[in-house]
Amino acid sequence: MAESEEEVDVLVQRVVKDIANAFKRNPSIDEIGVIPCPEARYNRSPIVLVENKLGVESWCVKFLLPYVHNKLLLFRQRKQWLDREALVDITCTLLLLNPDFTTAWNVRKELMQCGVLIPEKDLYLGKLALTKFPKSPETWIHRRWVLQQILRQSCAVGHSGEQQQQQQGEEAPPADRERSQQLSDHMARTLHQEMKVCSDAACRYPSNYNAWSHRIWVLQHMAKGNVKVFHDELSSMRLWVSMHVSDHSGFHYRQFLLQELTAELSQTPPSTSTTTCSSHHQSSAAPSVSPPPNSHAQANGELSAAEAAGEEEGQLGFPTVPQLFHQEMELCSDLIQSFPGHETLWSHRRHVFYLWHQWRSEQQHHCSSKGSSNSVHLNDGDATLPEVDAQSCADRGDSVNGRGRTTEPMEVDRASLPDPRDSKRLKRGVPPPAPHTLPSEHSFVRGVLDRCSNTEQRHFVLAYKKWLDTVIGQQP
């Protein structure tokens, strides 16, 4: 082992070069780690590369980390000059061993702004650092800065292309269309990679708040308004939360997805601004995935063949808002019964039911403000009252006041009076499930209490029942 200062410098310089050469030999390294090794037993490099895994023997870390740390500080204090290649190697080594050293990330920011580094290289370095330090806050902060640079570059290229197209007044040439498609594909790949980095970090460290917060930021800045991305995230996270029932951060992420999807699916399409409140209530639950400008529901409620096909395709691709909440409540019920005694599940159920209650109240208020003929008032206190949507009210011309009168029996044989909307409803399949109401929640609570043998589970369910009575039960 090296003893003198000169020998230490030679040793550390060689290790830094070995790390840089390892990345050159294998650009597909996907994990880093420290190999327990108290002292050097062989005359060989302490850098080990096996099957895309990079390891550093622990005996050299106590020499390596102070060396690169002091080198970088001397450079920042203008006491020692380092060329760009040396800066890249030193900051890479330092951040793999200590990713929370902010100065090293700042140096790499300056190198990136000078064009020495490309954004993808720093995203890759941060990904490797997170395999060893999955909760590193400085690494997540730097990733967001790099992603902002990528977004700015993409927006600048797209904006310049639009300006050229407007000045020429012609259709974009094939080269510009190809470049736009490449940018779109690059952003989609970047988004997918970020989701995977966040998932891996969340699996490596329980309740990894930094990873989940970064994942929310990525969706807010790179997929805002994209219903498909949010819905795919909600579906893909079902298995993860089922395997991590005590991780509140994962369930908080699902709550964010539900809120975003509810806001997107509840937006009023511009083409339906002149329709009645009943048609708005029906269309507000359907996803708005850039419909054609002239697509709209006809005044009599019928749709053309193309419009009906598009509507059915959208409904098959994305659930409505009530279906979203029903699926989430069913998932929560299954997890509560399968894994009793987890407070996170009850907290999540409380939040989801509150979101559902608030959304339904807003829809009822919106419909009632449009006109009394289409107003809908649902009383959660009546356990026998079925959920009635505004479209069915408009079809009958009735106003449901919470006790609604009995409708006439459904006729089985109506061959003489065909209704095109009936065939459309049949094509859509079975009607949506009954929504969760305050009486149904009380019934669920009673069922859990009857089968409860876990002390903690009983404590949580009683707290949930109290919350239902004091918060939801007191609201109009």
Side-chain angles (χ1 to χ4, degrees), residues 91-141:
T91 54
C92 176
T93 303
L94 177 55
L95 291 170
L96 290 177
L97 299 175
N98 179 21
D100 286 331
F101 189 55
T102 310
T103 303
W105 288 121
N106 290 338
V107 170
R108 294 185 73 89
K109 286 184 177 72
E110 296 173 1
L111 292 173
M112 192 181 303
Q113 291 172 338
C114 295
V116 178
L117 288 174
I118 59 174
E120 288 73 17
K121 192 165 185 179
D122 260 25
L123 290 179
Y124 175 63
L125 176 61
K127 172 186 173 182
L128 290 180
L130 290 171
T131 61
K132 174 63 177 174
F133 308 93
K135 204 178 178 180
S136 169
E138 294 300 327
T139 305
W140 293 112
I141 292 172

Side-chain angles (χ1 to χ4, degrees), residues 402-420:
R403 285 289 188 273
R405 70 189 184 199
T406 306
T407 59
E408 63 181 80
M410 181 176 62
E411 296 179 2
V412 179
D413 203 358
R414 296 185 62 179
S416 58
L417 296 174
D419 189 346

Side-chain angles (χ1 to χ4, degrees), residues 354-427:
Y354 183 79
L355 288 178
W356 161 246
H357 180 77
Q358 290 295 108
W359 179 85
R360 196 172 55 164
S361 299
E362 291 173 1
Q363 295 299 310
Q364 294 166 10
H365 175 73
H366 181 75
C367 288
S368 62
S369 64
K370 290 293 183 179
S372 59
S373 61
N374 292 325
S375 62
V376 180
H377 303 281
L378 298 178
N379 184 6
D380 282 341
D382 188 355
T384 62
L385 177 66
E387 185 75 18
V388 183
D389 62 357
Q391 180 63 38
S392 62
C393 299
D395 292 342
R396 293 197 309 267
D398 297 339
S399 175
V400 181
N401 59 5
R403 285 289 188 273
R405 70 189 184 199
T406 306
T407 59
E408 63 181 80
M410 181 176 62
E411 296 179 2
V412 179
D413 203 358
R414 296 185 62 179
S416 58
L417 296 174
D419 189 346
R421 287 173 294 181
D422 291 341
S423 60
K424 184 177 69 174
R425 293 191 187 102
L426 289 175
K427 291 179 181 178

Side-chain angles (χ1 to χ4, degrees), residues 51-189:
E51 296 181 356
N52 299 337
K53 313 299 179 185
L54 180 66
V56 181
E57 293 182 355
S58 59
W59 66 265
C60 76
V61 174
K62 62 182 179 181
F63 302 109
L64 182 59
L65 189 56
Y67 173 83
V68 292
H69 183 274
N70 293 332
K71 279 279 187 182
L72 193 61
L73 288 182
L74 290 174
F75 170 78
R76 295 296 284 180
Q77 295 170 3
R78 301 177 183 270
K79 296 181 179 179
Q80 182 176 359
W81 171 253
L82 295 173
D83 59 23
R84 293 178 173 179
E85 184 179 356
L87 276 177
V88 172
D89 293 343
I90 286 176
T91 54
C92 176
T93 303
L94 177 55
L95 291 170
L96 290 177
L97 299 175
N98 179 21
D100 286 331
F101 189 55
T102 310
T103 303
W105 288 121
N106 290 338
V107 170
R108 294 185 73 89
K109 286 184 177 72
E110 296 173 1
L111 292 173
M112 192 181 303
Q113 291 172 338
C114 295
V116 178
L117 288 174
I118 59 174
E120 288 73 17
K121 192 165 185 179
D122 260 25
L123 290 179
Y124 175 63
L125 176 61
K127 172 186 173 182
L128 290 180
L130 290 171
T131 61
K132 174 63 177 174
F133 308 93
K135 204 178 178 180
S136 169
E138 294 300 327
T139 305
W140 293 112
I141 292 172
H142 185 72
R143 290 190 77 83
R144 287 193 282 275
W145 185 88
V146 174
L147 291 173
Q148 286 176 338
Q149 306 309 306
I150 295 176
L151 288 173
R152 289 196 187 101
Q153 294 175 6
S154 177
C155 292
V157 173
H159 185 63
S160 62
E162 290 179 359
Q163 285 184 337
Q164 293 178 0
Q165 183 178 352
Q166 291 176 358
Q167 292 175 358
Q168 297 174 358
E170 300 176 354
E171 185 180 357
D176 290 345
R177 292 199 300 268
E178 183 179 358
R179 182 177 60 179
S180 177
Q181 183 62 37
Q182 290 176 351
L183 283 174
S184 177
D185 295 341
H186 175 66
M187 294 301 296
R189 287 194 302 269

